[in-house]
mmCIF file of all heavy atoms in Angstrom:
data_model
loop_
_atom_site.group_PDB
_atom_site.id
_atom_site.type_symbol
_atom_site.label_atom_id
_atom_site.label_comp_id
_atom_site.label_asym_id
_atom_site.label_seq_id
_atom_site.Cartn_x
_atom_site.Cartn_y
_atom_site.Cartn_z
ATOM 1 N N VAL A 21 101.397 105.378 127.102
ATOM 2 C CA VAL A 21 102.632 104.803 127.755
ATOM 3 C C VAL A 21 102.816 105.170 129.139
ATOM 4 O O VAL A 21 103.579 104.594 129.781
ATOM 5 C CB VAL A 21 103.866 105.222 126.942
ATOM 6 C CG1 VAL A 21 103.732 104.994 125.360
ATOM 7 C CG2 VAL A 21 104.297 106.704 127.143
ATOM 8 N N PHE A 22 102.045 106.180 129.529
ATOM 9 C CA PHE A 22 102.417 106.801 130.913
ATOM 10 C C PHE A 22 102.245 105.769 132.050
ATOM 11 O O PHE A 22 103.200 105.622 132.892
ATOM 12 C CB PHE A 22 101.367 107.918 131.310
ATOM 13 C CG PHE A 22 101.480 108.558 132.541
ATOM 14 C CD1 PHE A 22 102.509 109.661 132.816
ATOM 15 C CD2 PHE A 22 100.790 108.122 133.672
ATOM 16 C CE1 PHE A 22 102.706 110.118 134.057
ATOM 17 C CE2 PHE A 22 100.998 108.664 134.838
ATOM 18 C CZ PHE A 22 101.878 109.686 135.121
ATOM 19 N N PHE A 23 101.233 105.002 132.105
ATOM 20 C CA PHE A 23 101.121 104.059 133.267
ATOM 21 C C PHE A 23 102.009 102.952 133.241
ATOM 22 O O PHE A 23 102.413 102.507 134.229
ATOM 23 C CB PHE A 23 99.504 103.458 133.229
ATOM 24 C CG PHE A 23 99.151 103.120 134.639
ATOM 25 C CD1 PHE A 23 99.108 103.895 135.719
ATOM 26 C CD2 PHE A 23 98.868 101.748 134.810
ATOM 27 C CE1 PHE A 23 98.600 103.333 136.912
ATOM 28 C CE2 PHE A 23 98.462 101.177 135.974
ATOM 29 C CZ PHE A 23 98.330 102.081 137.057
ATOM 30 N N TYR A 24 102.299 102.491 132.009
ATOM 31 C CA TYR A 24 103.324 101.362 131.963
ATOM 32 C C TYR A 24 104.634 101.779 132.727
ATOM 33 O O TYR A 24 105.150 101.086 133.416
ATOM 34 C CB TYR A 24 103.600 101.012 130.463
ATOM 35 C CG TYR A 24 102.430 100.353 129.766
ATOM 36 C CD1 TYR A 24 101.891 101.025 128.666
ATOM 37 C CD2 TYR A 24 102.000 99.094 130.151
ATOM 38 C CE1 TYR A 24 100.855 100.370 128.011
ATOM 39 C CE2 TYR A 24 100.999 98.477 129.497
ATOM 40 C CZ TYR A 24 100.347 99.089 128.379
ATOM 41 O OH TYR A 24 99.353 98.606 127.717
ATOM 42 N N VAL A 25 105.157 103.026 132.221
ATOM 43 C CA VAL A 25 106.470 103.413 132.734
ATOM 44 C C VAL A 25 106.319 103.830 134.331
ATOM 45 O O VAL A 25 107.263 103.527 135.039
ATOM 46 C CB VAL A 25 106.967 104.601 131.958
ATOM 47 C CG1 VAL A 25 108.322 105.267 132.430
ATOM 48 C CG2 VAL A 25 107.076 104.184 130.452
ATOM 49 N N PHE A 26 105.148 104.349 134.561
ATOM 50 C CA PHE A 26 104.976 104.795 136.023
ATOM 51 C C PHE A 26 105.005 103.588 136.881
ATOM 52 O O PHE A 26 105.717 103.686 138.019
ATOM 53 C CB PHE A 26 103.681 105.599 136.169
ATOM 54 C CG PHE A 26 103.356 106.031 137.570
ATOM 55 C CD1 PHE A 26 104.087 107.099 138.207
ATOM 56 C CD2 PHE A 26 102.476 105.235 138.351
ATOM 57 C CE1 PHE A 26 103.715 107.491 139.428
ATOM 58 C CE2 PHE A 26 102.258 105.527 139.608
ATOM 59 C CZ PHE A 26 102.807 106.653 140.199
ATOM 60 N N VAL A 27 104.202 102.644 136.569
ATOM 61 C CA VAL A 27 104.142 101.411 137.417
ATOM 62 C C VAL A 27 105.484 100.720 137.459
ATOM 63 O O VAL A 27 105.998 100.305 138.589
ATOM 64 C CB VAL A 27 103.061 100.409 136.937
ATOM 65 C CG1 VAL A 27 103.184 99.138 137.644
ATOM 66 C CG2 VAL A 27 101.703 101.019 137.237
ATOM 67 N N SER A 28 106.198 100.512 136.384
ATOM 68 C CA SER A 28 107.318 99.741 136.277
ATOM 69 C C SER A 28 108.417 100.608 137.079
ATOM 70 O O SER A 28 109.313 99.907 137.745
ATOM 71 C CB SER A 28 107.883 99.416 134.879
ATOM 72 O OG SER A 28 108.007 100.670 134.238
ATOM 73 N N THR A 29 108.521 101.859 136.985
ATOM 74 C CA THR A 29 109.473 102.707 137.725
ATOM 75 C C THR A 29 109.144 102.741 139.251
ATOM 76 O O THR A 29 110.103 102.621 140.059
ATOM 77 C CB THR A 29 109.546 104.200 137.167
ATOM 78 O OG1 THR A 29 109.772 104.247 135.731
ATOM 79 C CG2 THR A 29 110.531 104.962 137.909
ATOM 80 N N SER A 30 107.984 102.790 139.557
ATOM 81 C CA SER A 30 107.573 102.676 141.022
ATOM 82 C C SER A 30 108.014 101.429 141.726
ATOM 83 O O SER A 30 108.528 101.360 142.754
ATOM 84 C CB SER A 30 106.088 102.986 141.161
ATOM 85 O OG SER A 30 105.703 104.227 140.612
ATOM 86 N N VAL A 31 107.692 100.194 140.874
ATOM 87 C CA VAL A 31 108.079 98.982 141.441
ATOM 88 C C VAL A 31 109.608 98.821 141.530
ATOM 89 O O VAL A 31 110.212 98.327 142.637
ATOM 90 C CB VAL A 31 107.431 97.811 140.699
ATOM 91 C CG1 VAL A 31 108.089 96.502 140.965
ATOM 92 C CG2 VAL A 31 106.018 97.966 140.632
ATOM 93 N N GLY A 32 110.326 99.309 140.560
ATOM 94 C CA GLY A 32 111.737 99.269 140.581
ATOM 95 C C GLY A 32 112.349 100.060 141.757
ATOM 96 O O GLY A 32 113.269 99.664 142.402
ATOM 97 N N LEU A 33 111.774 101.158 141.928
ATOM 98 C CA LEU A 33 112.342 102.180 143.020
ATOM 99 C C LEU A 33 112.103 101.465 144.454
ATOM 100 O O LEU A 33 112.813 101.902 145.391
ATOM 101 C CB LEU A 33 111.608 103.441 142.857
ATOM 102 C CG LEU A 33 112.045 104.466 141.641
ATOM 103 C CD1 LEU A 33 111.180 105.649 141.614
ATOM 104 C CD2 LEU A 33 113.651 104.818 141.821
ATOM 105 N N ALA A 34 111.080 100.586 144.512
ATOM 106 C CA ALA A 34 110.913 100.047 145.865
ATOM 107 C C ALA A 34 111.524 98.644 145.940
ATOM 108 O O ALA A 34 111.386 97.975 146.802
ATOM 109 C CB ALA A 34 109.354 99.733 145.895
ATOM 110 N N ALA A 35 112.446 98.243 144.930
ATOM 111 C CA ALA A 35 113.019 96.985 144.825
ATOM 112 C C ALA A 35 114.367 96.805 145.561
ATOM 113 O O ALA A 35 114.757 95.763 145.946
ATOM 114 C CB ALA A 35 113.345 96.603 143.378
ATOM 115 N N ALA A 36 114.904 97.988 146.006
ATOM 116 C CA ALA A 36 116.195 97.852 146.613
ATOM 117 C C ALA A 36 115.986 97.234 148.054
ATOM 118 O O ALA A 36 115.096 97.624 148.758
ATOM 119 C CB ALA A 36 116.896 99.264 146.836
ATOM 120 N N PRO A 37 116.890 96.264 148.515
ATOM 121 C CA PRO A 37 116.764 95.754 149.802
ATOM 122 C C PRO A 37 116.736 96.722 150.853
ATOM 123 O O PRO A 37 117.505 97.834 150.696
ATOM 124 C CB PRO A 37 117.814 94.688 149.858
ATOM 125 C CG PRO A 37 118.368 94.470 148.368
ATOM 126 C CD PRO A 37 117.967 95.736 147.684
ATOM 127 N N ALA A 38 116.133 96.428 152.017
ATOM 128 C CA ALA A 38 116.108 97.292 153.164
ATOM 129 C C ALA A 38 117.456 97.465 153.753
ATOM 130 O O ALA A 38 117.814 98.620 154.290
ATOM 131 C CB ALA A 38 115.167 96.682 154.234
ATOM 132 N N THR A 39 118.406 96.454 153.486
ATOM 133 C CA THR A 39 119.642 96.649 154.140
ATOM 134 C C THR A 39 120.519 97.801 153.418
ATOM 135 O O THR A 39 121.245 98.478 154.063
ATOM 136 C CB THR A 39 120.472 95.302 153.963
ATOM 137 O OG1 THR A 39 120.430 94.820 152.573
ATOM 138 C CG2 THR A 39 119.894 94.211 154.817
ATOM 139 N N THR A 40 120.233 97.909 152.145
ATOM 140 C CA THR A 40 120.975 99.032 151.436
ATOM 141 C C THR A 40 120.506 100.433 151.808
ATOM 142 O O THR A 40 121.200 101.281 151.897
ATOM 143 C CB THR A 40 120.843 98.825 149.874
ATOM 144 O OG1 THR A 40 119.346 98.909 149.592
ATOM 145 C CG2 THR A 40 121.432 97.549 149.432
ATOM 146 N N HIS A 41 119.192 100.525 152.205
ATOM 147 C CA HIS A 41 118.688 101.731 152.765
ATOM 148 C C HIS A 41 119.291 102.020 154.113
ATOM 149 O O HIS A 41 119.648 103.182 154.357
ATOM 150 C CB HIS A 41 117.188 101.668 152.929
ATOM 151 C CG HIS A 41 116.421 101.736 151.623
ATOM 152 N ND1 HIS A 41 115.949 102.930 151.070
ATOM 153 C CD2 HIS A 41 116.107 100.820 150.664
ATOM 154 C CE1 HIS A 41 115.436 102.729 149.945
ATOM 155 N NE2 HIS A 41 115.431 101.367 149.691
ATOM 156 N N ASP A 42 119.385 100.924 154.849
ATOM 157 C CA ASP A 42 120.102 101.072 156.132
ATOM 158 C C ASP A 42 121.474 101.610 156.124
ATOM 159 O O ASP A 42 121.913 102.471 156.916
ATOM 160 C CB ASP A 42 120.002 99.824 156.989
ATOM 161 C CG ASP A 42 118.570 99.423 157.277
ATOM 162 O OD1 ASP A 42 117.734 100.251 157.356
ATOM 163 O OD2 ASP A 42 118.347 98.168 157.543
ATOM 164 N N VAL A 43 122.301 101.099 155.195
ATOM 165 C CA VAL A 43 123.576 101.330 154.925
ATOM 166 C C VAL A 43 123.715 102.841 154.563
ATOM 167 O O VAL A 43 124.510 103.608 155.046
ATOM 168 C CB VAL A 43 124.317 100.416 153.877
ATOM 169 C CG1 VAL A 43 125.681 100.989 153.556
ATOM 170 C CG2 VAL A 43 124.362 99.005 154.529
ATOM 171 N N ALA A 44 122.879 103.203 153.556
ATOM 172 C CA ALA A 44 122.832 104.670 153.153
ATOM 173 C C ALA A 44 122.494 105.707 154.268
ATOM 174 O O ALA A 44 123.214 106.660 154.401
ATOM 175 C CB ALA A 44 121.816 104.757 151.994
ATOM 176 N N ARG A 45 121.598 105.287 155.065
ATOM 177 C CA ARG A 45 121.269 106.199 156.185
ATOM 178 C C ARG A 45 122.400 106.182 157.251
ATOM 179 O O ARG A 45 122.768 107.283 157.796
ATOM 180 C CB ARG A 45 119.992 105.732 156.903
ATOM 181 C CG ARG A 45 118.695 106.019 156.189
ATOM 182 C CD ARG A 45 117.507 105.897 157.071
ATOM 183 N NE ARG A 45 117.296 104.486 157.511
ATOM 184 C CZ ARG A 45 116.559 103.620 156.774
ATOM 185 N NH1 ARG A 45 115.914 104.015 155.744
ATOM 186 N NH2 ARG A 45 116.432 102.335 157.217
ATOM 187 N N ALA A 46 123.085 105.122 157.450
ATOM 188 C CA ALA A 46 124.158 105.054 158.305
ATOM 189 C C ALA A 46 125.301 105.868 157.854
ATOM 190 O O ALA A 46 126.043 106.440 158.672
ATOM 191 C CB ALA A 46 124.670 103.609 158.617
ATOM 192 N N LEU A 47 125.457 106.053 156.574
ATOM 193 C CA LEU A 47 126.549 106.922 155.971
ATOM 194 C C LEU A 47 126.117 108.384 155.889
ATOM 195 O O LEU A 47 126.861 109.209 155.298
ATOM 196 C CB LEU A 47 126.928 106.354 154.605
ATOM 197 C CG LEU A 47 127.535 104.906 154.619
ATOM 198 C CD1 LEU A 47 127.856 104.408 153.063
ATOM 199 C CD2 LEU A 47 128.862 104.989 155.341
ATOM 200 N N GLY A 48 124.880 108.728 156.358
ATOM 201 C CA GLY A 48 124.396 110.043 156.274
ATOM 202 C C GLY A 48 123.915 110.541 155.012
ATOM 203 O O GLY A 48 123.726 111.789 154.811
ATOM 204 N N ALA A 49 123.422 109.574 154.153
ATOM 205 C CA ALA A 49 122.860 109.969 152.869
ATOM 206 C C ALA A 49 121.441 110.593 153.092
ATOM 207 O O ALA A 49 120.672 109.891 153.896
ATOM 208 C CB ALA A 49 122.909 108.776 151.926
ATOM 209 N N GLY A 50 120.979 111.566 152.463
ATOM 210 C CA GLY A 50 119.778 112.193 152.504
ATOM 211 C C GLY A 50 118.802 111.371 151.590
ATOM 212 O O GLY A 50 119.254 110.426 150.933
#
């Protein structure tokens, strides 16, 4: 099961739009 969960989690963690990352950085989030 390891690779199934690893790949799906990795893809999901990269799925957030770049704009949400920009907002988080602008608010000072680490």
Side-chain angles (χ1 to χ4, degrees):
V21 309
F22 178 87
F23 199 64
Y24 292 117
V25 179
F26 177 81
V27 170
S28 60
T29 304
S30 298
V31 172
L33 290 172
T39 53
T40 59
H41 287 268
D42 295 338
V43 171
R45 282 195 295 269
L47 295 175

